[in-house]
Amino acid sequence: MPTAQTADTPTRAVRAEGQSLWLDYIRRSLMESGQLERLVEEDALRGLTSNPAIFEKAIGGSSEYDDAITAFLTEDPSMDAATIYERLAVEDIRRAADTLRPVYEETGVDGVVSLEVSPHLAHDTEGTIEEARRLWDAVGRPNLMIKVPATEEGIPAIEQLLSEGINVNVTLMFSLGHYEKVAQAYLRGLRRADDPSGIVSVASFFVSRVAREVDTRLDERGLTDAVDFDGSDVAIANARMAYRRFEEIFHGDDFADLREQGAFVQRPLWASTSTKDPTRSDVLYVESLIGEQTVNTIPPDTLDAFRDHGTVAGQTVTDDLDRAEAVLRRLDEVGIDLDDVTETLQARGVEKFATPFDDLMDVLEEKREEITAHLPDPISLHLHEHETAVAERLDAWREDDFACRMWRRDPTLWADEDTPELTNRLGWLDLPESMQEQAAEITAFADSVTGDFDDVVVLGMGGSSLAPDVFGRVFDPADGYPDVTVLDSTHPDAVTALADDLALERTLFVVASKSGTTTETLSFFRYFWDRVSGLTDTPGDHFVANTDPGSNLEEIAEDRDFRAVFRAPTDVGGRYSALTPFGLVPAALMGVDIEQLLDRAWAAEAGSDFCVAAPNNSGLELGAALGELATAGRDKVTFVTSPTLEAFPAWQEQLIAESTGKDDTGIVPVADEPLAGPGAYGEDRVFVYFYLHGEQDRDTIETLSALDEAGHPVISVRLDDRYDLAREMYRWEMGVAAAGAVLGIHPFNQPNVEAAKRLAREAMQAENGTGSDTHTVAADDHDVLEQELADWLGTADETGYLGVQAYLPPSDETTAALTDLVTALRDTTGCATTLGYGPRFLHSTGQLHKGGPPNGLFLQLVDTPDATGPVPETDYTFEELIAAQATGDHQALREADRTVLRVRVDDDSLGDLAEAIRAR
Ligand SMILES: O=P(O)(O)OC[C@H]1O[C@](O)(CO)[C@@H](O)[C@@H]1O
Ligand SMILES: O=C[C@H](O)[C@H](O)COP(=O)(O)O
């Protein structure tokens, strides 16, 4: 598009006649290249119009927008084509509006840019109003015009929008009839406006399309040579008549009141002014319609042609009105009904914009699919100086054929050939595929019972209940489906509080234990079996079992006629069982689409798949990073999440701690510390940020950037929706398994858990099993506590960690007080902290506490329960059970040479304890 060099070009001469030339064209490069600005300067260009066909050519017909589309989809891969279009269009229109803003500031009526509502709303008044308001707000520029068609349904929308102060370009006008209605709607709209001054509107009268249609009809009737006019004469005459009417209305009494209030006239805009018939002058519809207070919007070719050889012969729009009238009369006499021509054109005009609009949606949908297939993985690893070690590890793994060997279930990746609990614990690798069939059965069961229950309670420990807990807290139950909660505390106050809260006759219990022998789980089951048996003769209807085939629990479930028994694959360990019935049954019961969960995990599997070479294998890359960082002393993996994902780190915690915390090594997951600035942390941290798309908050991002800049490794993972949890579960399972190989441990056993269980059993049988002879400090014994705290903290090593183990009834208030306590510990010592409720943590971080790096210090908190609950069918109470578990673990920690301080607390003492620590 050449530009004019002189001031006396036809384009400038038109301006001197009081007409504004606008550009009927847009694309991003027009603004980016500075071309639009040059046209304004050199051609006195005064405005810009767009329509769906123009955007279709710009976006659909080029790759100019591909980077922007990729950026949108990286942020939100589920963004649909219509949203992509709107965001691209809004951005272009804004840029054009900003370029033209000086013209707008100077004139108040020019320097405007038009954006059209969807052509599919042409016959929907309310839809048009809504979309116009939305676009007006989205663009947010005063020199925007919303284009609304002059259809029957468009007219009231035009009036309404003008009354709200929204600038309107009325489009698709072909006849005097259309013009009349539009001008009257303008007057009504402005009269309803609070302040009519400053509202800008144009009435777009289409020209060349009329010419074409008339030519066609003349031709069809064999009249082309028989008459002394052609289609272009009719089109020009039609437009000139509209201009005459414009003058009558806007220079006469009709507009007097508004003129007085400072309102602008609604200028006629000549649209469709590129000449479609090559036998006619390419500037015909510019030269013939020059007039004061009009606009002519022309595409680039017409602008070039007009600048090159256009003639400006004064106010041509008022030329020869007698001939104009005569032409229109003659047209009627030869039997061509102009009203029919123009109504047909308006209807066709809607179609003519709808087709490119739909084509554009199709093109964008195709681009979306193509780009999404190649989107970067939503995990980003900032590893600083550790990058080399990780790259070397991945190279070594490629040479060793690590990925293929993992899929071949090769135990020597971790330990000796015949190590137990190894090759028979790798079933998780292909769960996304192998669970598909069972998933359908689980969903059918869930759908069949949904009406019978308001609550589902999962009774289970560690890997048998952590995934359900995450699903229950992250997802909302689908309409009509029950809530899912988990019971994993043996504290009698917790058990009785839950029982009191539930409507037992509307509750389904999922008894979840792989081994079928876990004491806590069986105790919960016996308690609730007894309670439900008091209400019904068929208590089994309220129970479902999740277990391994052949387990003790399977036998119980069959004997007692449970509503269902789901059998899990035996080659998947507890902490790797999220995508087996252990995780899927509770998820399905709350209406989560579990096939979708498996599909998402499948996406991660594809990225970590059989023989995908180590450097391109996302699970292995994560594993190499976790392992190498831990080896280099960065062994405290500190989790941060966006609000929806708050429950996720508890699942990660078990996976990491129980898998890697053994043989005096391991990775310490930190799941409960509030995030702080770089000053709060030592050199032993890695930060992992899980966020749900759209939930990132500025403070967290800024703090993580500061930590990154301070040299801490930061791993960020984006979840596009809640279902991506399954993808991350799979990725982290693979990552932790691989990290185990770096650390030289066997990630699938938990050797130190058994020791605590044995000691707890012994404590139950001993006379003083409740721990009365275990050294315990009372929180209100201030002097002793101060001294013991000082001794305990005195042994803290800054590369170590502090673990708070709370054998207390879980509640939001207690969790908040405990979080404050661990924060005080971190801030006083600079050490990382872990926090867990007993006995839940025994099935999570408990393995690491005793078997992991020997630099942990533990604070065991016990209380005196208010409630006491006998466990039916046994000879113990929940009070005795939890006390024995605390005592047993205390002893196990001591046997493993760990330092433990045991404090008896009551409701108020957690705050005092935090204060005592801060006071040091
Ligand atoms: O499913 P089960 O056999 O009841 O075990 C529960 C949890 O106890 C452990 O075996 C030991 O903590 C975990 O690995 C497991 O997730
Ligand atoms: O606002 C402008 C119109 O959308 C445009 O001028 C239509 O032109 P056409 O008839 O060449 O498609």
Side-chain angles (χ1 to χ4, degrees):
M1 197 195 304
T3 53
Q5 301 302 316
T6 57
D8 55 347
T9 58
T11 49
R12 288 182 173 276
V14 158
R15 177 88 207 104
E17 289 295 328
Q19 183 179 59
S20 299
L21 283 186
W22 290 4
L23 187 68
D24 197 23
Y25 177 80
I26 196 166
R27 70 186 300 151
R28 195 153 286 189
S29 54
L30 178 73
M31 284 75 75
E32 279 177 348
S33 63
Q35 214 174 3
L36 181 60
E37 216 168 345
R38 280 204 298 282
L39 291 174
V40 172
E41 270 170 35
E42 296 171 10
D43 280 324
L45 191 87
R46 308 274 84 189
L48 181 146
T49 49
S50 67
N51 65 37
I54 291 172
F55 269 118
E56 196 263 335
K57 277 198 201 97
I59 301 172
S62 78
S63 53
E64 203 175 299
Y65 293 79
D66 289 3
D67 286 350
I69 299 172
T70 307
F72 294 156
L73 291 172
T74 307
E75 203 185 295
D76 177 7
S78 58
M79 190 180 284
D80 59 20
T83 311
I84 296 173
Y85 159 69
E86 196 171 304
R87 285 188 59 173
L88 293 173
V90 162
E91 181 57 28
D92 280 4
I93 293 288
R94 258 196 210 152
R95 289 191 192 192
D98 291 345
T99 307
L100 287 159
R101 185 72 174 258
V103 179
Y104 173 73
E105 301 293 349
E106 185 194 317
T107 62
V109 290
D110 276 318
V112 284
V113 177
S114 298
L115 174 61
E116 193 153 339
V117 293
S118 162
H120 292 295
L121 296 171
H123 300 298
D124 175 353
T125 306
E126 279 313 308
T128 298
I129 294 173
E130 251 170 59
E131 178 154 309
R133 285 177 183 149
R134 198 163 50 73
L135 293 174
W136 177 256
D137 290 342
V139 173
R141 299 290 188 274
N143 53 333
L144 170 72
M145 272 189 175
I146 303 292
K147 275 176 98 174
V148 179
T151 53
E152 213 181 305
E153 297 80 1
I155 299 288
I158 292 162
E159 177 183 334
Q160 177 60 29
L161 293 167
L162 288 164
S163 78
E164 294 175 18
I166 294 178
N167 301 329
V168 180
N169 172 343
V170 184
T171 187
L172 290 180
M173 293 170 49
F174 295 87
S175 68
L176 270 177
H178 296 156
Y179 182 69
E180 193 65 39
K181 285 186 195 154
V182 167
Q184 297 307 329
Y186 176 74
L187 298 178
R188 285 196 304 274
L190 255 60
R191 286 191 181 113
R192 284 174 47 205
D194 291 342
D195 176 9
S197 72
I199 299 174
V200 196
S201 182
V202 288
S204 294
F205 207 84
F206 280 49
V207 185
S208 75
R209 295 191 195 183
V210 175
R212 227 183 191 184
E213 181 62 17
V214 170
D215 281 337
T216 309
R217 294 196 186 193
L218 286 171
D219 189 40
E220 280 166 5
R221 288 167 174 73
L223 292 170
T224 309
D225 296 327
V227 293
D228 61 350
F229 61 87
D230 62 18
S232 69
D233 295 319
V234 174
I236 292 167
N238 191 35
R240 287 179 178 171
M241 290 295 126
Y243 186 73
R244 188 170 69 182
R245 184 65 190 130
F246 156 76
E247 285 189 306
E248 283 167 12
I249 297 173
F250 287 95
H251 294 167
D253 291 346
D254 288 356
F255 189 60
D257 56 332
L258 288 166
R259 194 182 307 121
E260 221 159 84
Q261 293 176 63
F264 296 124
V265 300
Q266 183 189 44
R267 286 181 296 171
L269 176 148
W270 311 128
S272 188
T273 46
S274 62
T275 310
K276 277 45 178 203
D277 177 352
T279 65
R280 288 183 188 133
S281 159
D282 54 0
V283 290
L284 177 65
Y285 303 116
V286 187
E287 290 179 341
S288 321
L289 294 171
I290 297 169
E292 247 192 309
Q293 294 188 316
T294 62
V295 178
N296 199 327
T297 192
I298 49 179
D301 287 354
T302 311
L303 178 62
D304 285 347
F306 188 67
R307 183 192 308 111
D308 182 62
H309 50 263
T311 305
V312 178
Q315 297 286 306
T316 55
V317 73
T318 52
D319 277 356
D320 230 350
L321 290 184
D322 292 346
R323 171 157 156 82
E325 278 179 352
V327 164
L328 296 180
R329 228 180 7 257
R330 287 280 295 125
L331 182 73
D332 194 43
E333 283 163 15
V334 298
I336 298 180
D337 177 356
L338 186 56
D339 283 343
D340 185 63
V341 168
T342 53
E343 287 315 307
T344 306
L345 284 172
Q346 190 180 69
R348 201 185 289 158
V350 171
E351 263 318 279
K352 247 187 121 177
F353 285 146
T355 308
F357 182 85
D358 293 344
D359 290 349
L360 178 55
M361 292 306 123
D362 290 346
V363 171
L364 283 174
E365 196 50 53
E366 276 166 30
K367 282 191 195 250
R368 206 178 77 78
E369 274 167 27
E370 197 180 308
I371 292 170
T372 320
H374 299 101
L375 269 187
D377 197 335
I379 184 167
S380 85
L381 293 84
H382 289 203
L383 304 177
H384 305 293
E385 73 271 20
H386 306 280
E387 252 168 40
T388 318
V390 173
E392 284 170 7
R393 171 68 61 178
L394 289 170
D395 282 347
W397 278 350
R398 187 183 42 208
E399 301 225 322
D400 288 353
D401 215 8
F402 192 99
C404 284
R405 285 169 60 201
M406 168 114 69
W407 281 82
R408 282 202 304 267
R409 307 336 193 219
D410 178 348
T412 63
L413 292 175
W414 297 281
D416 295 336
E417 193 70 58
D418 46 8
T419 306
E421 279 196 277
L422 190 39
T423 46
N424 62 351
R425 284 287 175 274
L426 287 164
W428 56 272
L429 279 167
D430 42 28
L431 284 175
E433 290 146 84
S434 63
M435 279 305 299
Q436 292 286 346
E437 210 173 305
Q438 205 178 352
E441 181 201 325
I442 292 172
T443 304
F445 170 77
D447 292 347
S448 73
V449 301
T450 173
D452 297 352
F453 303 108
D454 298 328
D455 280 287
V456 170
V457 179
V458 178
L459 310 174
M461 304 305 294
S464 297
S465 60
L466 282 164
D469 197 41
V470 175
F471 293 141
R473 288 172 195 259
V474 171
F475 284 94
D476 293 323
D479 261 2
Y481 285 77
D483 277 319
V484 168
T485 49
V486 163
L487 177 64
D488 58 1
S489 171
T490 48
H491 197 291
D493 295 356
V495 177
T496 49
L498 176 68
D500 291 348
D501 254 17
L502 293 169
L504 292 175
E505 65 289 355
R506 298 277 306 162
T507 303
L508 179 69
F509 294 92
V510 178
V511 191
S513 174
K514 180 176 168 61
S515 62
T517 57
T518 299
T519 308
E520 295 93 324
T521 311
L522 291 177
S523 304
F524 302 143
F525 157 64
R526 292 193 165 111
Y527 178 84
F528 283 106
W529 177 266
D530 180 63
R531 296 287 301 258
V532 174
S533 299
L535 300 172
T536 163
D537 294 340
T538 54
D541 286 352
H542 290 256
F543 289 84
V544 165
N546 267 340
T547 189
D548 271 10
S551 78
N552 172 47
L553 175 58
E554 184 190 57
E555 203 180 311
I556 295 177
E558 280 166 2
D559 283 355
R560 303 199 190 190
D561 214 5
F562 276 23
R563 189 135 181 176
V565 182
F566 293 96
R567 292 162 186 87
T570 53
D571 57 357
V572 181
R575 53 189 173 273
Y576 277 78
S577 67
L579 301 173
T580 70
F582 282 105
L584 298 181
V585 168
L589 283 166
M590 64 187 290
V592 169
D593 176 352
I594 59 173
E595 290 182 27
Q596 173 87 293
L597 282 178
L598 292 171
D599 280 352
R600 298 296 175 92
W602 203 330
E605 183 188 319
S608 303
D609 209 345
F610 185 64
C611 294
V612 172
N616 301 321
N617 184 317
S618 114
L620 292 193
E621 189 187 7
L622 176 66
L626 293 173
E628 292 298 340
L629 288 166
T631 311
R634 297 254 179 205
D635 61 348
K636 315 293 186 314
V637 176
T638 306
F639 289 101
V640 185
T641 71
S642 70
T644 300
L645 304 176
E646 259 170 21
F648 193 32
W651 179 88
Q652 296 276 352
E653 189 178 37
Q654 187 208 18
L655 177 71
I656 293 175
E658 211 173 65
S659 301
T660 68
K662 55 198 70 156
D663 304 339
D664 285 346
T665 186
I667 300 172
V668 180
V670 179
D672 299 284
E673 279 181 0
L675 185 63
Y681 303 110
E683 301 288 293
D684 56 349
R685 301 276 186 153
V686 181
F687 294 89
V688 177
Y689 180 39
F690 286 107
Y691 63 96
L692 189 65
H693 167 71
E695 270 194 351
Q696 311 94 295
D697 68 287
R698 185 186 294 238
D699 285 354
T700 306
I701 302 289
E702 281 175 2
T703 308
L704 287 168
S705 304
L707 291 165
D708 192 359
E709 271 166 35
H712 292 286
V714 176
I715 299 173
S716 305
V717 190
R718 187 195 68 236
L719 280 70
D720 291 310
D721 61 26
R722 291 159 166 83
Y723 283 94
D724 279 346
L725 269 177
R727 181 195 68 204
E728 292 311 317
M729 285 171 157
Y730 190 92
R731 190 208 301 272
W732 284 75
E733 286 169 355
M734 173 68 77
V736 168
V742 181
L743 297 174
I745 51 92
H746 165 9
F748 305 111
N749 65 358
Q750 49 284 327
N752 301 80
V753 174
E754 193 40 47
K757 282 191 189 165
R758 177 178 46 80
L759 289 163
R761 274 196 300 274
E762 285 173 21
M764 296 264 277
Q765 280 145 21
E767 230 167 78
N768 264 330
T770 50
S772 53
D773 58 354
T774 304
H775 178 66
T776 309
V777 183
D780 52 8
D781 197 345
H782 297 292
D783 294 343
V784 178
L785 179 67
E786 201 174 308
Q787 186 52 50
E788 298 242 358
L789 261 183
D791 294 347
W792 181 71
L793 287 171
T795 58
D797 158 3
E798 62 177 22
T799 64
Y801 69 101
L802 305 171
V804 173
Q805 310 171 333
Y807 289 82
L808 308 175
S811 73
D812 289 347
E813 299 76 55
T814 308
T815 302
L818 289 168
T819 305
D820 185 47
L821 179 62
V822 292
T823 309
L825 285 170
R826 177 195 66 190
D827 294 345
T828 312
T829 61
C831 290
T833 63
T834 66
L835 167 61
Y837 281 108
R840 172 188 186 162
F841 80 87
L842 291 173
H843 299 273
S844 172
T845 47
Q847 165 62 39
L848 170 103
H849 293 170
K850 293 167 290 257
N855 55 9
L857 289 189
F858 303 97
L859 178 62
Q860 191 181 81
L861 304 175
V862 293
D863 73 349
T864 308
D866 293 333
T868 174
V871 179
E873 306 177 49
T874 74
D875 56 0
Y876 58 87
T877 64
F878 279 111
E879 190 180 359
E880 285 161 346
L881 176 59
I882 193 168
Q885 289 179 302
T887 304
D889 196 47
H890 187 275
Q891 214 171 322
L893 286 164
R894 300 288 297 271
E895 281 181 8
D897 264 345
R898 305 299 194 260
T899 308
V900 202
L901 171 63
R902 173 169 155 123
V903 180
R904 182 166 299 280
V905 295
D906 59 28
D907 285 353
D908 307 322
S909 42
L910 290 179
D912 296 346
L913 204 50
E915 249 176 59
I917 289 163
R918 285 205 170 91
R920 294 186 36 76

